[in-house]
Amino acid sequence: MYLEAEFKYERIIRWYETQLTSGRVSPHSEVPSIRQISSEFNLSISSVQRAMRELRRQGLIYSNGKKRFYFSEFSPVDVDTECDKTDCLSRTAKLIFLSQTTDMAAFNRAFLGRSLDASPFIQKCLRSLGTSDPQSFNIKAPAAGLTELRRRLVGIMFDRRVNSRAADIVVTQGDDTALEAVLDVLCDADDAILVEHPTNHSVLEAARRLGLKVHTIETDFQHGIDFRHLEQAIQNTSAKALYLSPTIQVPLGFVMPAVHRARIVELAERYGVTIVEDDMFADLVPDESRPPALASLSKTGDVIYLGSFNRTIASSVSVGWCASRKYAGEIASKLVERSYSVSTLNQQLLIEFLRRGYDKDHGMVLQSKIRRNDHIFEDIISSYFPQKTQILGARCGYSRLLRLPFDLSPDDFETLHAQDFPICDLGAFYSRTYPTNMLQICLCEVIDASVKIYFQNLGRFLSEIGALKNRSAVEVGPQPIETGPEHPKAGF
């Protein structure tokens, strides 16, 4: 019943898209009134109003400020300059605040908890550093980072099949800082970038802060990025950069196969578009099954590689890096301008961590714990969550997508938060319409007895919400099947 309601609302959007692409309506002609659309499609006023809001967000229609709407000029690319980035920011900030005020771990954030992070190895490194010469911590690190750390990172890049020099690497304050600095180097205000849809909300926020236009490329967890749409976008825009997270895509969780990676690099190089490859979760995929990095496939060097430690070692180790032979100097300069210096102690800690080979040891332990978590989580889903709940996407990272058999409203999420379940919907990852029957859950702690009880209670609570929705649907009774107008009136 509730899925049907979603299809009703989307059917209006699909109808308009078809009319625009086929040229059956003229740009800047007036859109029929909401009541007329309601009559033509046999839909409620509220459904039509929702469709109109989404059409406006997608740039298919616009208003003249007098409650009248007009068709926009059709572009095959979705330009999201009208999307409400403020909603995205406030939603994400609220979820983080809620997760910090509850006793339970934050299962809506992709940061490792203490039971999964590298604390035992970090403790050993700290003890070792404690016996070092205190003067070593008074060294002011160069803008690009300590030389020894950058040399160690060259080895990590080599393991990921990317040939780099220490001079190509810039150490940064985590992956988000690196991402914004890179976009600032590549783009000026009002320039455009291409991103997957959905995508990491950090790139949407970085684009908002820098005043960039965002063009989205449809992506799903089964087929990956839409290559036809991508090539259209590159041809029809002057986009300066293409942002991708090919290894455990955020938030869909799939790993892009090698053949798709080669195709994307070839396409970007053919049209002169710089790829920004965000590989923050690379260590969660075993070396033998991890496809080559996009940067390793580039012939021109127009792929800027971003890596991070705070997603796979510990959230407190807020250190990342970017690698680019062309842009390393400019990126370092941008970081200096923004006063984004990286703690010397954190850099020394990582040098010791990598020198001892703990990155490999911790990686194997972490991957083993994630596999164990998966088995337990699948049992919880089948036993306690609403029937027909699905786990989507790959199982290699610690972020999981759930598809429920019913939609959740904003009020439902408020109720979940009030019950100490700060679970994330997907709105922060979509710059426009997003599925309301899907949740993201980050398995950021080992699922021990207390965490298991937490997820069992979440499943029971969601089942209660679903039962209430089913009872409401039964009370309303069956609704007539709506197929839309067979002979639409003028204007459609």
Side-chain angles (χ1 to χ4, degrees):
M1 189 70 186
Y2 288 85
L3 287 175
E4 248 181 55
E6 181 72 15
F7 289 139
K8 295 173 190 175
Y9 133 74
E10 289 183 338
R11 191 158 47 81
I12 298 176
I13 296 174
R14 287 198 299 271
W15 177 264
Y16 273 115
E17 287 176 341
T18 301
Q19 299 305 298
L20 283 165
T21 56
S22 63
R24 293 175 186 171
V25 295
S26 302
H28 312 299
S29 60
E30 187 172 348
V31 177
S33 69
I34 288 176
R35 291 192 178 278
Q36 185 179 351
I37 297 172
S38 173
S39 173
E40 290 286 356
F41 282 82
N42 192 25
L43 290 177
S44 67
I45 294 293
S46 61
S47 293
V48 177
Q49 288 174 331
R50 184 178 181 187
M52 296 292 277
R53 285 195 299 271
E54 295 304 328
L55 285 165
R56 191 176 181 186
R57 283 189 179 190
Q58 294 183 30
L60 295 175
I61 63 174
Y62 66 93
S63 171
N64 67 351
K66 298 180 180 180
K67 296 185 179 180
R68 293 180 181 177
F69 292 93
Y70 300 87
F71 294 107
S72 302
E73 292 187 16
F74 173 72
S75 168
V77 180
D78 298 310
V79 183
D80 299 314
T81 54
E82 298 294 326
C83 65
D84 194 343
K85 301 291 197 308
T86 304
D87 282 353
C88 167
L89 178 62
S90 62
R91 181 189 296 109
T92 306
K94 184 174 183 180
L95 285 169
I96 292 173
F97 171 76
L98 285 165
S99 66
Q100 290 172 338
T101 55
T102 180
D103 291 333
M104 186 51 66
F107 293 107
N108 61 341
R109 293 192 295 158
F111 289 101
L112 293 177
R114 288 298 298 273
S115 59
L116 284 181
D117 70 19
S119 292
F121 299 111
I122 291 173
Q123 298 278 349
K124 293 179 181 179
C125 293
L126 287 173
R127 282 195 291 270
S128 174
L129 291 175
T131 63
S132 303
D133 180 3
Q135 293 301 316
S136 64
F137 302 122
N138 293 327
I139 299 171
K140 181 176 176 59
L146 293 175
T147 302
E148 186 176 351
L149 177 56
R150 286 185 285 139
R151 287 173 179 161
R152 298 279 176 186
L153 291 172
V154 169
I156 291 179
M157 296 296 289
F158 183 78
D159 290 342
R160 298 179 186 181
R161 310 182 203 183
V162 183
N163 291 320
S164 295
R165 307 167 302 168
D168 303 334
I169 293 176
V170 180
V171 179
T172 66
Q173 270 187 1
D175 48 348
D176 291 350
T177 301
L179 173 59
E180 187 163 341
V182 165
L183 292 178
D184 200 8
V185 166
L186 295 176
C187 307
D188 296 319
D190 289 329
D191 280 344
I193 62 172
L194 306 176
V195 303
E196 296 165 291
H197 190 257
T199 190
N200 181 0
H201 63 81
S202 295
V203 71
L204 299 177
E205 288 309 314
R208 181 187 64 83
R209 287 191 291 269
L210 295 171
L212 306 180
K213 297 175 183 176
V214 177
H215 297 253
T216 59
I217 312 299
E218 290 305 322
T219 305
D220 67 64
F221 63 89
Q222 289 180 316
H223 308 292
I225 197 165
D226 185 326
F227 283 97
R228 181 190 60 81
H229 193 186
L230 174 60
E231 186 161 13
Q232 279 186 334
I234 293 174
Q235 290 174 339
N236 291 287
T237 70
S238 55
K240 296 292 183 66
L242 167 61
Y243 172 85
L244 297 167
S245 53
T247 305
I248 308 183
Q249 196 267 0
V250 180
L252 300 180
F254 65 83
V255 176
M256 184 185 293
V259 64
H260 286 188
R261 294 175 185 234
R263 186 175 174 186
I264 282 180
V265 170
E266 186 278 325
L267 194 62
E269 291 185 345
R270 191 194 322 158
Y271 290 100
V273 176
T274 300
I275 295 175
V276 180
E277 178 181 13
D278 200 340
D279 218 12
M280 55 185 158
F281 294 118
D283 286 335
L284 300 183
V285 181
D287 291 348
E288 63 274 12
S289 57
R290 186 194 308 137
L294 298 175
S296 71
L297 304 173
S298 175
K299 297 176 181 177
T300 63
D302 283 321
V303 177
I304 301 178
Y305 184 95
L306 306 181
S308 177
F309 292 109
N310 60 325
R311 306 283 183 169
T312 55
I313 293 180
S315 58
S316 58
V317 183
S318 186
V319 178
W321 77 94
C322 60
S324 170
R325 187 157 296 192
K326 284 187 176 182
Y327 299 104
E330 292 180 66
I331 293 168
S333 297
K334 286 292 182 185
L335 292 172
V336 171
E337 287 175 18
R338 295 166 176 264
S339 300
Y340 285 155
S341 60
V342 185
S343 161
T344 301
L345 176 59
N346 268 348
Q347 294 188 62
Q348 296 275 20
L349 173 65
L350 283 169
I351 290 169
E352 185 68 12
F353 190 89
L354 297 173
R355 185 186 70 79
R356 293 175 174 230
Y358 286 161
D359 54 325
K360 301 293 185 185
D361 296 339
H362 170 63
M364 289 189 291
V365 171
L366 179 57
Q367 290 166 19
S368 174
K369 288 180 177 179
I370 287 174
R371 287 193 296 271
R372 178 182 175 277
N373 268 358
D374 258 336
H375 294 310
I376 298 173
F377 191 61
E378 287 174 2
D379 289 341
I380 293 172
I381 296 297
S382 62
S383 301
Y384 294 93
F385 276 63
Q387 289 186 356
K388 298 183 180 179
T389 297
Q390 297 174 288
I391 304 176
L392 306 177
R395 305 286 201 275
C396 42
Y398 49 84
S399 179
R400 296 290 173 269
L401 283 184
L402 300 185
R403 176 183 285 158
L404 300 174
F406 50 83
D407 287 354
L408 290 173
S409 68
D411 288 342
D412 292 329
F413 279 103
E414 291 290 342
T415 303
L416 285 168
H417 298 160
Q419 296 295 321
D420 282 343
F421 296 120
I423 302 302
C424 185
D425 66 357
L426 295 190
F429 304 99
Y430 285 77
S431 60
R432 45 194 168 81
T433 309
Y434 63 94
T436 53
N437 65 333
M438 290 171 65
L439 302 174
Q440 184 199 42
I441 294 180
C442 295
L443 304 180
C444 55
E445 296 278 6
V446 166
I447 302 181
D448 58 14
S450 61
V451 175
K452 188 181 293 186
I453 291 171
Y454 174 88
F455 283 127
Q456 288 171 352
N457 289 337
L458 172 61
R460 292 189 185 103
F461 198 74
L462 287 169
S463 296
E464 289 177 11
I465 292 176
L468 286 173
K469 290 180 179 289
N470 286 334
R471 282 200 292 272
S472 299
V474 170
E475 289 171 5
V476 171
Q479 300 296 308
I481 297 174
E482 298 156 353
T483 59
E486 291 184 3
H487 304 288
K489 296 178 183 178
F492 281 73

